[in-house]
Amino acid sequence: MIKLFVGLGNPGSEYEATRHNAGFWWVDALARDLKVNFAPERSYHGFAARATVHGQPVWLLEPQTFMNLSGKSVAALARFFKIAPEEILVVHDELDVVPGQAKLKFGGSHAGHNGLRDIHAQLGTGDYWRLRLGIGHPGVKSEVVNWVLKKPLKEQREAIDDAVARTLHAVPALLAGEMEKATLLIHTSKPPRPKPPRREPGDDGTPAAT
């Protein structure tokens, strides 16, 4: 089962709405669902919250170390509470997934993500779970840094928020350790279809010329 949910992002109001903070958005939503509040925890270098689900403690964590030192926070809490890497889910922004989609995976490389890179180093392994929230790619590698540190367009943010809401439905399975079920829920959930245009009385549905 997952005992520690980590959302990755950068601290400070100037980064709050940027693409790199998608992990924070997800864990904030989970905290609301579980009706818990984050509090600063100096020992874990971040904001942490604890919930009890079916008699078991569950931790939520938002490292406040800046992205490239996220592992310092994750490892501190995991080691103190003896949480194994395979019991950790890290939620982060993903360039190679489009906004509105999400992917669950176990292990693998950090693929250049600085937050994952440091978590790998601090845990000494890449064998933990990741929930990859799509933010899309700018199309040019040289623009990646500016892309992740900027706010998404309105429709992109709405798509990411939809993905957050949908993937939260997998939390009971994650908590129960039913990882195949959780993967199926996350990977088969589809963005809502756009609503058809409203027809006025007498409209035959043919678009007007523009």
Side-chain angles (χ1 to χ4, degrees), residues 10-203:
N10 285 308
S13 57
E14 66 269 38
Y15 298 109
E16 186 175 352
T18 62
R19 293 180 177 94
H20 226 14
N21 277 36
F24 278 6
W25 305 343
W26 194 93
V27 175
D28 283 339
L30 177 59
R32 290 192 293 271
D33 279 2
L34 295 178
K35 296 180 172 56
V36 295
N37 296 311
F38 285 100
E41 294 284 353
R42 293 182 62 185
S43 298
Y44 315 131
H45 314 287
F47 294 148
R50 176 173 170 159
T52 301
V53 181
H54 302 309
Q56 297 295 324
V58 177
W59 284 94
L60 283 63
L61 178 66
E62 292 183 348
Q64 298 294 295
T65 53
F66 285 99
M67 184 68 80
N68 63 343
L69 295 175
S70 298
K72 179 179 180 181
S73 175
V74 176
L77 191 151
R79 287 172 183 154
F80 186 84
F81 291 103
K82 296 179 172 59
I83 299 172
E86 61 268 22
E87 297 171 327
I88 299 172
L89 175 69
V90 177
V91 187
H92 64 91
D93 58 303
E94 177 57 61
L95 288 161
D96 294 328
V97 178
V98 299
Q101 293 186 4
K103 302 291 182 182
L104 182 68
K105 67 172 291 188
F106 179 76
S109 74
H110 54 69
H113 191 289
N114 287 332
L116 299 183
R117 188 196 306 273
D118 195 57
I119 293 171
H120 273 52
Q122 294 291 335
L123 292 180
T125 180
D127 291 339
Y128 53 89
W129 289 90
R130 306 95 183 269
L131 178 59
R132 304 157 65 207
L133 294 176
I135 61 167
H137 196 287
V140 181
K141 185 176 181 180
S142 60
E143 290 297 319
V144 164
V145 173
N146 287 332
W147 179 262
V148 300
L149 294 179
K150 285 185 178 179
K151 297 179 181 179
L153 299 174
K154 181 176 182 291
E155 59 269 26
Q156 293 174 341
R157 177 60 192 261
E158 289 173 350
I160 296 168
D161 287 343
D162 284 343
V164 168
R166 293 195 318 275
T167 54
L168 285 172
H169 293 306
V171 167
L174 293 168
L175 291 172
E178 299 172 344
M179 307 311 288
E180 289 186 8
K181 180 179 179 180
T183 301
L184 187 64
L185 285 168
I186 290 168
H187 290 189
T188 58
S189 62
K190 301 295 184 183
R193 293 183 178 180
K195 294 180 181 179
R198 181 180 175 183
R199 294 187 180 184
E200 299 297 335
D203 184 3

